[in-house]
Amino acid sequence: MILFAGDPHGCYEHLYPFVKERENVALVILGDLQLTSCDELDKLAQYCDIWFIHGNHDSKTIEAYEAIWGSHWKTRNLHGRVVDIQGTKIAGLGGVFRGHIWMPPNRPMFLDHIHYCQYNPGKIWRGGISLRHRASIFPSDIEILEKQKADILICHEAPEPHPKGFGIINQLACKMEVKKIFHGHHHENFNYKAMNHKKEYNIYNIGFRSLADIDGNYLHISIDNRK
């Protein structure tokens, strides 16, 4: 069984009732894990097979970055690749679009990490792009994925017709011939049902600390009432 979790933002307690009571669960987290260490994932992994993509909050601090890219969990980041999970091919596009890098449909400022570093030598961090932009989407990220095929595309950003969605994600989904898109980032669980029948694929927004099955049925819905 594959379950899709919306942005946890550092809290994972709501997931335990669902992964404990079911067998053979693959849990796919749609970004903004917002970790301070590996402890939360290590604990949760006792009950399920964890996969994820990163979100914008996952490169806000060095601690959040290290918990993913500086640990054994980096091998479970689906960004930029397709992985067969329980017989379903899932592709990952982590991160967000940012104007300093690329804000579609506008032309990109930089094509890839090397291009960014060439023109921003004063912003290099640990031999590469700045910490903040480790979670920014570059055109090269799209190019890597569009050459592959998958059943499901997971992304942090939303595609169209979400009010804050990006058509480039829809284009990617078509090239990859996916049947479903699951995304996080937007916390309100935007309802695509009235629009899904018009596309070659179905879209599901799994919002803040929410959880859904592979058919987009919500198992748990949370409201972001943080101040």
Side-chain angles (χ1 to χ4, degrees):
M1 171 181 285
I2 304 175
L3 301 180
F4 295 86
D7 307 13
H9 284 285
C11 180
Y12 295 81
E13 292 303 317
H14 62 288
L15 298 172
Y16 281 94
F18 300 95
V19 298
K20 280 186 173 181
E21 68 185 25
R22 293 167 171 82
E23 294 184 359
N24 194 29
V25 172
L27 181 68
V28 181
I29 304 173
L30 302 173
D32 282 352
L33 287 74
Q34 206 168 337
L35 299 164
T36 56
S37 73
C38 300
D39 293 348
E40 288 285 1
L41 292 187
D42 290 341
K43 179 182 173 184
L44 188 61
Q46 297 176 54
Y47 305 100
C48 58
D49 184 31
I50 299 174
W51 299 87
F52 59 85
I53 51 172
H54 57 271
N56 50 300
H57 282 269
D58 296 318
S59 70
K60 273 197 167 184
T61 66
I62 293 176
E63 291 79 11
Y65 176 85
E66 286 288 355
I68 292 177
W69 286 278
S71 75
H72 56 283
W73 283 106
K74 65 184 178 183
T75 63
R76 289 307 179 107
N77 191 344
L78 292 170
H79 174 69
R81 59 184 179 139
V82 178
V83 174
D84 188 313
I85 301 174
Q86 296 188 1
T88 299
K89 293 182 179 179
I90 300 181
L93 178 66
V96 294
F97 293 107
R98 290 188 169 117
H100 288 154
I101 304 297
W102 184 28
M103 186 59 69
N106 300 319
R107 294 180 63 181
M109 302 295 290
F110 303 101
L111 301 177
D112 54 28
H113 289 200
I114 294 175
H115 191 200
Y116 174 89
C117 291
Q118 286 175 335
Y119 286 88
N120 293 277
K123 296 182 179 179
I124 290 177
W125 182 71
R126 293 187 179 179
I129 60 174
S130 65
L131 175 61
R132 171 180 169 81
H133 288 312
R134 301 285 171 118
S136 296
I137 299 173
F138 288 76
S140 57
D141 296 318
I142 300 291
E143 291 171 3
I144 289 170
L145 285 173
E146 66 185 10
K147 300 172 185 176
Q148 305 179 66
K149 304 298 180 186
D151 301 308
I152 295 175
L153 172 64
I154 63 168
C155 42
H156 195 57
E157 288 279 23
E160 293 179 343
H162 192 283
K164 296 182 179 179
F166 294 89
I168 190 70
I169 295 177
N170 302 80
Q171 295 172 30
L172 175 62
C174 289
K175 289 179 180 179
M176 298 191 75
E177 299 180 2
V178 305
K179 298 303 180 186
K180 298 175 183 178
I181 300 175
F182 285 83
H183 75 85
H185 194 38
H186 302 287
H187 290 185
E188 73 280 5
N189 292 299
F190 184 80
N191 190 347
Y192 291 95
K193 282 186 178 179
M195 312 164 197
N196 274 341
H197 70 281
K198 301 178 182 178
K199 296 187 176 295
E200 301 90 341
Y201 45 80
N202 290 335
I203 308 172
Y204 306 100
N205 177 189
I206 314 305
F208 175 80
R209 293 176 186 166
S210 296
L211 186 70
D213 63 19
I214 198 169
D215 294 315
N217 300 309
Y218 292 109
L219 305 178
H220 179 76
I221 294 178
S222 294
I223 304 297
D224 186 2
N225 55 11
R226 298 172 300 166
K227 300 297 183 181

